[in-house]
Amino acid sequence: MTATTPQQARDATNQHYELPPELFALYLDQRLKYSSGLYDAEHTDLDDAQTNKLHFVARELGLRGGERLLDIGCGWGSLLLFMAQEYDCRVTGVTPSGPQADFIRARAEEMGVSELVTLVPGAFTGVEVPGPFDAVTMLGSIVHMPDRTDVLRKVRGLLRRNGSLYVSESCFRDHETYREFSRRPGTVHVTDSIFGFADMVPASVLVEAMEAAGFSLAGLTDLTAHYHRTIEQWEERVHARRERVEEVAPGMSEPLVRYLQTANAGWGYTTKHYAFTAVKSRMGPTEVR
């Protein structure tokens, strides 16, 4: 990969996330959630699918209301703001993106949840975050971190005993596929040209990192079909609003469509998308959900 240190990875990746929020609003859902939705019916629309997914994350974490939650790489704040509003959680988000932090603060004020929302600017590997937390989420962020085991060790240190971790990530389906496809032009376009740095690895590598960090794996859910449908709806929106995309981010429509098409072409063949849950406990979860 072109970036080999946490700082290089952060700087390279941040270029994508500091594009104008108006661009993402043209093809994402109303919350600007930049990850897979969860479809429960044939005609579920994008906004409902993303709401379903956020409730799914809450269930996987065992949230009942009022917990302290840390979201690492919190994007445009969709999860933070949802958990604050719907579950009365005290939420902390870590983001290296100034524009994203400003956007989240403004939205929290509009939604009346500012007192529940704390933002920590910077890369997770280089900042101090006041714990402990009841739960930690990483939706599509660990792929941008070259030191995944060290990151997960830091996460574990911030969790209370029996605290829960949710990680969702796109993965190569096995090691042989990773070796064959990770440096092909289509993959490089997504990992380097769009995101600056991203290292998709097989799911087993993430499981190994969680175990090395001291977590007990509590669950794994295959969300591949749901991410495929999510990206289909994103691409439909880009095509429908292509002129506006060019107005907001000149020259971005072509690489954006190529990224979405490349990502969707590999699902089930070379890539998968999984949700992992883990707990800070040697014995594993005390309750079966």
Side-chain angles (χ1 to χ4, degrees), residues 222-244:
D222 189 338
L223 295 173
T224 306
H226 296 273
Y227 213 166
H228 182 272
R229 188 165 168 187
T230 302
I231 293 178
E232 280 185 333
Q233 294 191 332
W234 289 349
E235 186 184 349
E236 288 170 3
R237 292 184 175 206
V238 174
H239 283 300
R241 302 165 182 174
R242 197 158 188 156
E243 289 186 6
R244 180 63 181 143

PDB file of all heavy atoms in Angstrom, residues 222-244:
ATOM      1  N   ASP A 222     -23.196 -12.062   8.077  1.00  0.00           N
ATOM      2  CA  ASP A 222     -22.865 -11.780   6.685  1.00  0.00           C
ATOM      3  C   ASP A 222     -23.865 -10.764   6.134  1.00  0.00           C
ATOM      4  O   ASP A 222     -25.055 -11.057   6.000  1.00  0.00           O
ATOM      5  CB  ASP A 222     -22.919 -13.076   5.868  1.00  0.00           C
ATOM      6  CG  ASP A 222     -22.378 -12.915   4.456  1.00  0.00           C
ATOM      7  OD1 ASP A 222     -22.346 -11.783   3.947  1.00  0.00           O
ATOM      8  OD2 ASP A 222     -21.986 -13.940   3.861  1.00  0.00           O
ATOM      9  N   LEU A 223     -23.386  -9.570   5.812  1.00  0.00           N
ATOM     10  CA  LEU A 223     -24.239  -8.497   5.295  1.00  0.00           C
ATOM     11  C   LEU A 223     -23.955  -8.197   3.824  1.00  0.00           C
ATOM     12  O   LEU A 223     -24.327  -7.136   3.327  1.00  0.00           O
ATOM     13  CB  LEU A 223     -24.027  -7.222   6.127  1.00  0.00           C
ATOM     14  CG  LEU A 223     -24.455  -7.289   7.595  1.00  0.00           C
ATOM     15  CD1 LEU A 223     -24.021  -6.021   8.322  1.00  0.00           C
ATOM     16  CD2 LEU A 223     -25.959  -7.481   7.720  1.00  0.00           C
ATOM     17  N   THR A 224     -23.309  -9.130   3.137  1.00  0.00           N
ATOM     18  CA  THR A 224     -22.868  -8.888   1.765  1.00  0.00           C
ATOM     19  C   THR A 224     -24.026  -8.473   0.850  1.00  0.00           C
ATOM     20  O   THR A 224     -23.927  -7.485   0.116  1.00  0.00           O
ATOM     21  CB  THR A 224     -22.170 -10.126   1.197  1.00  0.00           C
ATOM     22  OG1 THR A 224     -21.114 -10.522   2.075  1.00  0.00           O
ATOM     23  CG2 THR A 224     -21.603  -9.847  -0.184  1.00  0.00           C
ATOM     24  N   ALA A 225     -25.106  -9.232   0.871  1.00  0.00           N
ATOM     25  CA  ALA A 225     -26.237  -8.920  -0.015  1.00  0.00           C
ATOM     26  C   ALA A 225     -26.824  -7.540   0.300  1.00  0.00           C
ATOM     27  O   ALA A 225     -27.269  -6.816  -0.600  1.00  0.00           O
ATOM     28  CB  ALA A 225     -27.312  -9.988   0.113  1.00  0.00           C
ATOM     29  N   HIS A 226     -26.801  -7.175   1.563  1.00  0.00           N
ATOM     30  CA  HIS A 226     -27.353  -5.874   1.959  1.00  0.00           C
ATOM     31  C   HIS A 226     -26.464  -4.727   1.474  1.00  0.00           C
ATOM     32  O   HIS A 226     -26.968  -3.685   1.057  1.00  0.00           O
ATOM     33  CB  HIS A 226     -27.499  -5.829   3.476  1.00  0.00           C
ATOM     34  CG  HIS A 226     -28.480  -6.822   4.009  1.00  0.00           C
ATOM     35  ND1 HIS A 226     -29.830  -6.566   4.111  1.00  0.00           N
ATOM     36  CD2 HIS A 226     -28.306  -8.099   4.433  1.00  0.00           C
ATOM     37  CE1 HIS A 226     -30.450  -7.616   4.589  1.00  0.00           C
ATOM     38  NE2 HIS A 226     -29.543  -8.559   4.803  1.00  0.00           N
ATOM     39  N   TYR A 227     -25.146  -4.928   1.522  1.00  0.00           N
ATOM     40  CA  TYR A 227     -24.262  -3.870   1.027  1.00  0.00           C
ATOM     41  C   TYR A 227     -24.371  -3.748  -0.495  1.00  0.00           C
ATOM     42  O   TYR A 227     -24.316  -2.641  -1.039  1.00  0.00           O
ATOM     43  CB  TYR A 227     -22.814  -4.132   1.447  1.00  0.00           C
ATOM     44  CG  TYR A 227     -22.031  -2.854   1.710  1.00  0.00           C
ATOM     45  CD1 TYR A 227     -20.818  -2.892   2.374  1.00  0.00           C
ATOM     46  CD2 TYR A 227     -22.510  -1.608   1.315  1.00  0.00           C
ATOM     47  CE1 TYR A 227     -20.097  -1.729   2.646  1.00  0.00           C
ATOM     48  CE2 TYR A 227     -21.802  -0.440   1.569  1.00  0.00           C
ATOM     49  CZ  TYR A 227     -20.592  -0.508   2.232  1.00  0.00           C
ATOM     50  OH  TYR A 227     -19.892   0.651   2.488  1.00  0.00           O
ATOM     51  N   HIS A 228     -24.526  -4.871  -1.177  1.00  0.00           N
ATOM     52  CA  HIS A 228     -24.711  -4.830  -2.632  1.00  0.00           C
ATOM     53  C   HIS A 228     -25.919  -3.980  -2.992  1.00  0.00           C
ATOM     54  O   HIS A 228     -25.855  -3.107  -3.875  1.00  0.00           O
ATOM     55  CB  HIS A 228     -24.891  -6.254  -3.171  1.00  0.00           C
ATOM     56  CG  HIS A 228     -25.031  -6.317  -4.659  1.00  0.00           C
ATOM     57  ND1 HIS A 228     -26.256  -6.195  -5.311  1.00  0.00           N
ATOM     58  CD2 HIS A 228     -24.114  -6.473  -5.640  1.00  0.00           C
ATOM     59  CE1 HIS A 228     -26.074  -6.286  -6.614  1.00  0.00           C
ATOM     60  NE2 HIS A 228     -24.786  -6.446  -6.843  1.00  0.00           N
ATOM     61  N   ARG A 229     -27.019  -4.186  -2.285  1.00  0.00           N
ATOM     62  CA  ARG A 229     -28.238  -3.426  -2.581  1.00  0.00           C
ATOM     63  C   ARG A 229     -28.067  -1.958  -2.198  1.00  0.00           C
ATOM     64  O   ARG A 229     -28.556  -1.057  -2.894  1.00  0.00           O
ATOM     65  CB  ARG A 229     -29.412  -4.044  -1.829  1.00  0.00           C
ATOM     66  CG  ARG A 229     -30.761  -3.461  -2.221  1.00  0.00           C
ATOM     67  CD  ARG A 229     -31.876  -4.340  -1.727  1.00  0.00           C
ATOM     68  NE  ARG A 229     -33.173  -3.695  -1.832  1.00  0.00           N
ATOM     69  CZ  ARG A 229     -34.301  -4.196  -1.350  1.00  0.00           C
ATOM     70  NH1 ARG A 229     -34.277  -5.369  -0.743  1.00  0.00           N
ATOM     71  NH2 ARG A 229     -35.444  -3.548  -1.477  1.00  0.00           N
ATOM     72  N   THR A 230     -27.360  -1.695  -1.097  1.00  0.00           N
ATOM     73  CA  THR A 230     -27.091  -0.312  -0.691  1.00  0.00           C
ATOM     74  C   THR A 230     -26.338   0.436  -1.778  1.00  0.00           C
ATOM     75  O   THR A 230     -26.703   1.560  -2.158  1.00  0.00           O
ATOM     76  CB  THR A 230     -26.255  -0.296   0.604  1.00  0.00           C
ATOM     77  OG1 THR A 230     -26.948  -0.994   1.633  1.00  0.00           O
ATOM     78  CG2 THR A 230     -25.984   1.132   1.057  1.00  0.00           C
ATOM     79  N   ILE A 231     -25.285  -0.184  -2.292  1.00  0.00           N
ATOM     80  CA  ILE A 231     -24.470   0.485  -3.311  1.00  0.00           C
ATOM     81  C   ILE A 231     -25.242   0.645  -4.615  1.00  0.00           C
ATOM     82  O   ILE A 231     -25.068   1.651  -5.321  1.00  0.00           O
ATOM     83  CB  ILE A 231     -23.149  -0.285  -3.519  1.00  0.00           C
ATOM     84  CG1 ILE A 231     -22.299  -0.170  -2.251  1.00  0.00           C
ATOM     85  CG2 ILE A 231     -22.378   0.265  -4.724  1.00  0.00           C
ATOM     86  CD1 ILE A 231     -20.990  -0.928  -2.305  1.00  0.00           C
ATOM     87  N   GLU A 232     -26.113  -0.299  -4.938  1.00  0.00           N
ATOM     88  CA  GLU A 232     -26.981  -0.121  -6.108  1.00  0.00           C
ATOM     89  C   GLU A 232     -27.784   1.170  -5.972  1.00  0.00           C
ATOM     90  O   GLU A 232     -27.914   1.938  -6.938  1.00  0.00           O
ATOM     91  CB  GLU A 232     -27.940  -1.309  -6.243  1.00  0.00           C
ATOM     92  CG  GLU A 232     -27.335  -2.541  -6.866  1.00  0.00           C
ATOM     93  CD  GLU A 232     -28.374  -3.635  -7.078  1.00  0.00           C
ATOM     94  OE1 GLU A 232     -29.378  -3.672  -6.321  1.00  0.00           O
ATOM     95  OE2 GLU A 232     -28.197  -4.461  -7.991  1.00  0.00           O
ATOM     96  N   GLN A 233     -28.322   1.408  -4.797  1.00  0.00           N
ATOM     97  CA  GLN A 233     -29.136   2.611  -4.604  1.00  0.00           C
ATOM     98  C   GLN A 233     -28.267   3.865  -4.597  1.00  0.00           C
ATOM     99  O   GLN A 233     -28.693   4.925  -5.088  1.00  0.00           O
ATOM    100  CB  GLN A 233     -29.953   2.483  -3.321  1.00  0.00           C
ATOM    101  CG  GLN A 233     -30.998   1.372  -3.423  1.00  0.00           C
ATOM    102  CD  GLN A 233     -31.994   1.376  -2.287  1.00  0.00           C
ATOM    103  OE1 GLN A 233     -31.707   1.811  -1.169  1.00  0.00           O
ATOM    104  NE2 GLN A 233     -33.200   0.898  -2.560  1.00  0.00           N
ATOM    105  N   TRP A 234     -27.055   3.768  -4.060  1.00  0.00           N
ATOM    106  CA  TRP A 234     -26.138   4.910  -4.156  1.00  0.00           C
ATOM    107  C   TRP A 234     -25.840   5.242  -5.616  1.00  0.00           C
ATOM    108  O   TRP A 234     -25.865   6.408  -6.013  1.00  0.00           O
ATOM    109  CB  TRP A 234     -24.832   4.595  -3.445  1.00  0.00           C
ATOM    110  CG  TRP A 234     -24.909   4.533  -1.950  1.00  0.00           C
ATOM    111  CD1 TRP A 234     -25.952   4.922  -1.155  1.00  0.00           C
ATOM    112  CD2 TRP A 234     -23.891   4.063  -1.067  1.00  0.00           C
ATOM    113  NE1 TRP A 234     -25.651   4.712   0.165  1.00  0.00           N
ATOM    114  CE2 TRP A 234     -24.393   4.199   0.255  1.00  0.00           C
ATOM    115  CE3 TRP A 234     -22.613   3.541  -1.249  1.00  0.00           C
ATOM    116  CZ2 TRP A 234     -23.653   3.818   1.378  1.00  0.00           C
ATOM    117  CZ3 TRP A 234     -21.869   3.162  -0.141  1.00  0.00           C
ATOM    118  CH2 TRP A 234     -22.389   3.309   1.159  1.00  0.00           C
ATOM    119  N   GLU A 235     -25.535   4.214  -6.408  1.00  0.00           N
ATOM    120  CA  GLU A 235     -25.189   4.462  -7.813  1.00  0.00           C
ATOM    121  C   GLU A 235     -26.372   5.058  -8.573  1.00  0.00           C
ATOM    122  O   GLU A 235     -26.197   5.965  -9.396  1.00  0.00           O
ATOM    123  CB  GLU A 235     -24.728   3.166  -8.498  1.00  0.00           C
ATOM    124  CG  GLU A 235     -24.233   3.415  -9.905  1.00  0.00           C
ATOM    125  CD  GLU A 235     -23.853   2.146 -10.652  1.00  0.00           C
ATOM    126  OE1 GLU A 235     -23.781   1.078 -10.024  1.00  0.00           O
ATOM    127  OE2 GLU A 235     -23.647   2.235 -11.889  1.00  0.00           O
ATOM    128  N   GLU A 236     -27.576   4.558  -8.309  1.00  0.00           N
ATOM    129  CA  GLU A 236     -28.761   5.118  -8.958  1.00  0.00           C
ATOM    130  C   GLU A 236     -28.880   6.615  -8.668  1.00  0.00           C
ATOM    131  O   GLU A 236     -29.224   7.409  -9.558  1.00  0.00           O
ATOM    132  CB  GLU A 236     -30.018   4.391  -8.459  1.00  0.00           C
ATOM    133  CG  GLU A 236     -30.154   2.966  -8.976  1.00  0.00           C
ATOM    134  CD  GLU A 236     -31.272   2.207  -8.263  1.00  0.00           C
ATOM    135  OE1 GLU A 236     -31.961   2.824  -7.405  1.00  0.00           O
ATOM    136  OE2 GLU A 236     -31.438   1.006  -8.538  1.00  0.00           O
ATOM    137  N   ARG A 237     -28.572   6.999  -7.453  1.00  0.00           N
ATOM    138  CA  ARG A 237     -28.677   8.414  -7.074  1.00  0.00           C
ATOM    139  C   ARG A 237     -27.593   9.254  -7.735  1.00  0.00           C
ATOM    140  O   ARG A 237     -27.848  10.402  -8.117  1.00  0.00           O
ATOM    141  CB  ARG A 237     -28.616   8.538  -5.545  1.00  0.00           C
ATOM    142  CG  ARG A 237     -29.842   7.951  -4.848  1.00  0.00           C
ATOM    143  CD  ARG A 237     -29.807   8.164  -3.345  1.00  0.00           C
ATOM    144  NE  ARG A 237     -31.047   7.695  -2.743  1.00  0.00           N
ATOM    145  CZ  ARG A 237     -31.548   8.157  -1.602  1.00  0.00           C
ATOM    146  NH1 ARG A 237     -30.909   9.104  -0.933  1.00  0.00           N
ATOM    147  NH2 ARG A 237     -32.676   7.683  -1.125  1.00  0.00           N
ATOM    148  N   VAL A 238     -26.382   8.712  -7.860  1.00  0.00           N
ATOM    149  CA  VAL A 238     -25.317   9.448  -8.549  1.00  0.00           C
ATOM    150  C   VAL A 238     -25.701   9.692 -10.001  1.00  0.00           C
ATOM    151  O   VAL A 238     -25.561  10.814 -10.517  1.00  0.00           O
ATOM    152  CB  VAL A 238     -23.975   8.694  -8.469  1.00  0.00           C
ATOM    153  CG1 VAL A 238     -22.924   9.408  -9.324  1.00  0.00           C
ATOM    154  CG2 VAL A 238     -23.491   8.605  -7.025  1.00  0.00           C
ATOM    155  N   HIS A 239     -26.203   8.650 -10.678  1.00  0.00           N
ATOM    156  CA  HIS A 239     -26.600   8.810 -12.084  1.00  0.00           C
ATOM    157  C   HIS A 239     -27.723   9.847 -12.214  1.00  0.00           C
ATOM    158  O   HIS A 239     -27.709  10.674 -13.130  1.00  0.00           O
ATOM    159  CB  HIS A 239     -27.057   7.470 -12.658  1.00  0.00           C
ATOM    160  CG  HIS A 239     -25.937   6.540 -12.995  1.00  0.00           C
ATOM    161  ND1 HIS A 239     -24.954   6.850 -13.909  1.00  0.00           N
ATOM    162  CD2 HIS A 239     -25.636   5.299 -12.533  1.00  0.00           C
ATOM    163  CE1 HIS A 239     -24.088   5.848 -14.004  1.00  0.00           C
ATOM    164  NE2 HIS A 239     -24.477   4.898 -13.173  1.00  0.00           N
ATOM    165  N   ALA A 240     -28.684   9.790 -11.304  1.00  0.00           N
ATOM    166  CA  ALA A 240     -29.828  10.696 -11.388  1.00  0.00           C
ATOM    167  C   ALA A 240     -29.436  12.152 -11.127  1.00  0.00           C
ATOM    168  O   ALA A 240     -30.112  13.067 -11.606  1.00  0.00           O
ATOM    169  CB  ALA A 240     -30.910  10.263 -10.401  1.00  0.00           C
ATOM    170  N   ARG A 241     -28.339  12.350 -10.403  1.00  0.00           N
ATOM    171  CA  ARG A 241     -27.943  13.708 -10.008  1.00  0.00           C
ATOM    172  C   ARG A 241     -26.526  14.035 -10.482  1.00  0.00           C
ATOM    173  O   ARG A 241     -25.822  14.815  -9.849  1.00  0.00           O
ATOM    174  CB  ARG A 241     -28.034  13.835  -8.486  1.00  0.00           C
ATOM    175  CG  ARG A 241     -29.434  13.527  -7.954  1.00  0.00           C
ATOM    176  CD  ARG A 241     -29.458  13.297  -6.465  1.00  0.00           C
ATOM    177  NE  ARG A 241     -30.802  12.968  -5.993  1.00  0.00           N
ATOM    178  CZ  ARG A 241     -31.094  12.616  -4.751  1.00  0.00           C
ATOM    179  NH1 ARG A 241     -30.139  12.541  -3.846  1.00  0.00           N
ATOM    180  NH2 ARG A 241     -32.334  12.331  -4.411  1.00  0.00           N
ATOM    181  N   ARG A 242     -26.143  13.453 -11.599  1.00  0.00           N
ATOM    182  CA  ARG A 242     -24.757  13.570 -12.056  1.00  0.00           C
ATOM    183  C   ARG A 242     -24.343  15.020 -12.298  1.00  0.00           C
ATOM    184  O   ARG A 242     -23.229  15.422 -11.948  1.00  0.00           O
ATOM    185  CB  ARG A 242     -24.557  12.744 -13.327  1.00  0.00           C
ATOM    186  CG  ARG A 242     -23.099  12.476 -13.649  1.00  0.00           C
ATOM    187  CD  ARG A 242     -22.961  11.264 -14.533  1.00  0.00           C
ATOM    188  NE  ARG A 242     -21.564  10.897 -14.691  1.00  0.00           N
ATOM    189  CZ  ARG A 242     -21.164   9.666 -15.005  1.00  0.00           C
ATOM    190  NH1 ARG A 242     -22.042   8.694 -15.163  1.00  0.00           N
ATOM    191  NH2 ARG A 242     -19.887   9.398 -15.147  1.00  0.00           N
ATOM    192  N   GLU A 243     -25.209  15.807 -12.875  1.00  0.00           N
ATOM    193  CA  GLU A 243     -24.865  17.207 -13.130  1.00  0.00           C
ATOM    194  C   GLU A 243     -24.616  17.946 -11.821  1.00  0.00           C
ATOM    195  O   GLU A 243     -23.686  18.748 -11.716  1.00  0.00           O
ATOM    196  CB  GLU A 243     -25.979  17.887 -13.924  1.00  0.00           C
ATOM    197  CG  GLU A 243     -26.076  17.428 -15.372  1.00  0.00           C
ATOM    198  CD  GLU A 243     -27.099  18.229 -16.157  1.00  0.00           C
ATOM    199  OE1 GLU A 243     -27.647  19.220 -15.593  1.00  0.00           O
ATOM    200  OE2 GLU A 243     -27.363  17.880 -17.319  1.00  0.00           O
ATOM    201  N   ARG A 244     -25.442  17.668 -10.843  1.00  0.00           N
ATOM    202  CA  ARG A 244     -25.270  18.320  -9.546  1.00  0.00           C
ATOM    203  C   ARG A 244     -23.993  17.850  -8.853  1.00  0.00           C
ATOM    204  O   ARG A 244     -23.302  18.639  -8.201  1.00  0.00           O
ATOM    205  CB  ARG A 244     -26.493  18.024  -8.674  1.00  0.00           C
ATOM    206  CG  ARG A 244     -26.435  18.652  -7.289  1.00  0.00           C
ATOM    207  CD  ARG A 244     -26.414  20.160  -7.346  1.00  0.00           C
ATOM    208  NE  ARG A 244     -26.324  20.728  -6.002  1.00  0.00           N
ATOM    209  CZ  ARG A 244     -25.635  21.803  -5.695  1.00  0.00           C
ATOM    210  NH1 ARG A 244     -24.960  22.462  -6.631  1.00  0.00           N
ATOM    211  NH2 ARG A 244     -25.603  22.254  -4.463  1.00  0.00           N
TER     212      ARG A 244
END
